[in-house]
Amino acid sequence: MKIAVVTDSGSGLEKSDIKNLFVIGMPFRIDEEEYFEGVNIDKRTFFDIMRTKDVNFYTSQPSLYAIKELWDKILKEYDALIHISLSSGLSASYKQALALANDEYKGRVFVPDHHRVSVTQRGAVDSALLMIEDGCSPEEICDFVENTGLNSSIYIMVDTLKFLKKGGRVTPSAAALGEILRIKPVLQIQGGRLDAYKKVISNGVAKKTLVNALIDDINNRFKVQYEEGRLGFGIAHSDDIEGAYEVEAIVKKKLPNLNFNHIDYLSNLISCHTGPNAIGVGCYEIYRKKKLI
């Protein structure tokens, strides 16, 4: 059975040259102009606008027409596809894709609710691709992705409250006070929902806070997965690659046996809310490929 995987750019992937993997760009608007990640705007232009212009950012989900067009194209070559969308806790894109699959593509398109985003969503994609190589069925892949979906954790440090305020995630008065006090929020994503974790005073403390939080999860919540080599790890940033490498070095020193998978840009969709210079760390349960006998 020939199976494909479709994901959206919320995973940090904008385009794919990976076998069996297809990516759909998530749309967003800057004031009244609509853009699609990986299609009509590059990272440099995006962050230049974010840093230098007083504009508003709005996010949304792909149109049903765009999803249907991609699925139809893929299913001319593949027997089935697995659509790994942005977490249902952060976007309506999951429910939209699920409804379409159930209505018109029963038995050919599978939409697991994996509760992940960014680096952890990419981890779900990587596991699905490995399972395809091992000859697993769509049902087996969906079961794994869904059953391990909550075995993931993300912590994000944000450099400014400005964009969280614009997105309505903090009040204007709290944002103003935070800017005066130079507060650096550390946020968390558990089960696909974004929540506050801690507020600190400097970037240095913020980096240590998010690393320590992740390490605590690994040593406690995900101890078995870590010890058995079934825990992946990734870093994402909104145009702060030096800071991302600094965080990587801290984690590797404290947890040398952790499977380090990738450093990615945060998707523009997420950066619309975090602003530039955000850094996130994430861990997630991964599929262990069968050993050849």
Side-chain angles (χ1 to χ4, degrees), residues 129-142:
L129 292 170
L130 288 174
M131 294 183 77
I132 289 172
E133 291 181 10
D134 273 352
C136 298
S137 68
E139 291 84 358
E140 289 172 323
I141 296 169
C142 286

Side-chain angles (χ1 to χ4, degrees), residues 77-253:
E77 181 183 353
Y78 289 82
D79 300 307
L81 68 84
I82 297 166
H83 187 94
I84 300 178
S85 66
L86 197 67
S87 166
S88 61
L90 291 171
S91 171
S93 57
Y94 162 75
K95 290 183 178 179
Q96 175 180 261
L98 180 65
L100 179 62
N102 288 339
D103 186 42
E104 299 185 36
Y105 298 87
K106 200 78 171 178
R108 297 201 72 192
V109 174
F110 301 80
V111 186
D113 190 4
H114 59 92
H115 306 290
R116 297 185 183 188
V117 64
S118 189
V119 295
T120 58
Q121 181 180 349
R122 178 168 173 177
V125 170
D126 291 343
S127 288
L129 292 170
L130 288 174
M131 294 183 77
I132 289 172
E133 291 181 10
D134 273 352
C136 298
S137 68
E139 291 84 358
E140 289 172 323
I141 296 169
C142 286
D143 283 347
F144 177 85
V145 169
E146 289 191 333
N147 291 337
T148 62
L150 295 178
N151 295 340
S152 64
S153 184
I154 291 178
Y155 295 92
I156 308 170
M157 56 171 282
V158 179
D159 188 52
T160 175
L161 291 165
K162 173 183 175 182
F163 297 91
L164 289 171
K165 179 186 74 173
K166 285 189 173 184
R169 295 196 177 269
V170 295
T171 64
S173 58
L177 181 61
E179 292 296 323
I180 292 172
L181 299 176
R182 298 184 180 180
I183 288 173
K184 308 294 181 183
V186 177
L187 311 173
Q188 62 178 333
I189 298 178
Q190 312 290 342
R193 304 189 74 87
L194 182 67
D195 294 300
Y197 177 67
K198 281 187 180 180
K199 297 174 184 176
V200 297
I201 301 299
S202 69
N203 280 333
V205 174
K207 288 172 184 173
K208 290 179 181 178
T209 298
L210 64 90
V211 168
N212 288 337
L214 188 76
I215 289 174
D216 182 68
D217 281 349
I218 292 170
N219 287 333
N220 293 285
R221 291 171 59 197
F222 310 126
K223 183 178 181 181
V224 173
Q225 290 91 337
Y226 175 56
E227 291 177 346
E228 294 181 354
R230 295 187 290 113
L231 199 67
F233 168 74
I235 295 175
H237 66 94
S238 54
D239 208 32
D240 186 6
I241 187 63
E242 290 184 3
Y245 281 132
E246 183 181 342
V247 169
E248 177 194 3
I250 297 171
V251 175
K252 280 186 171 181
K253 185 176 180 180

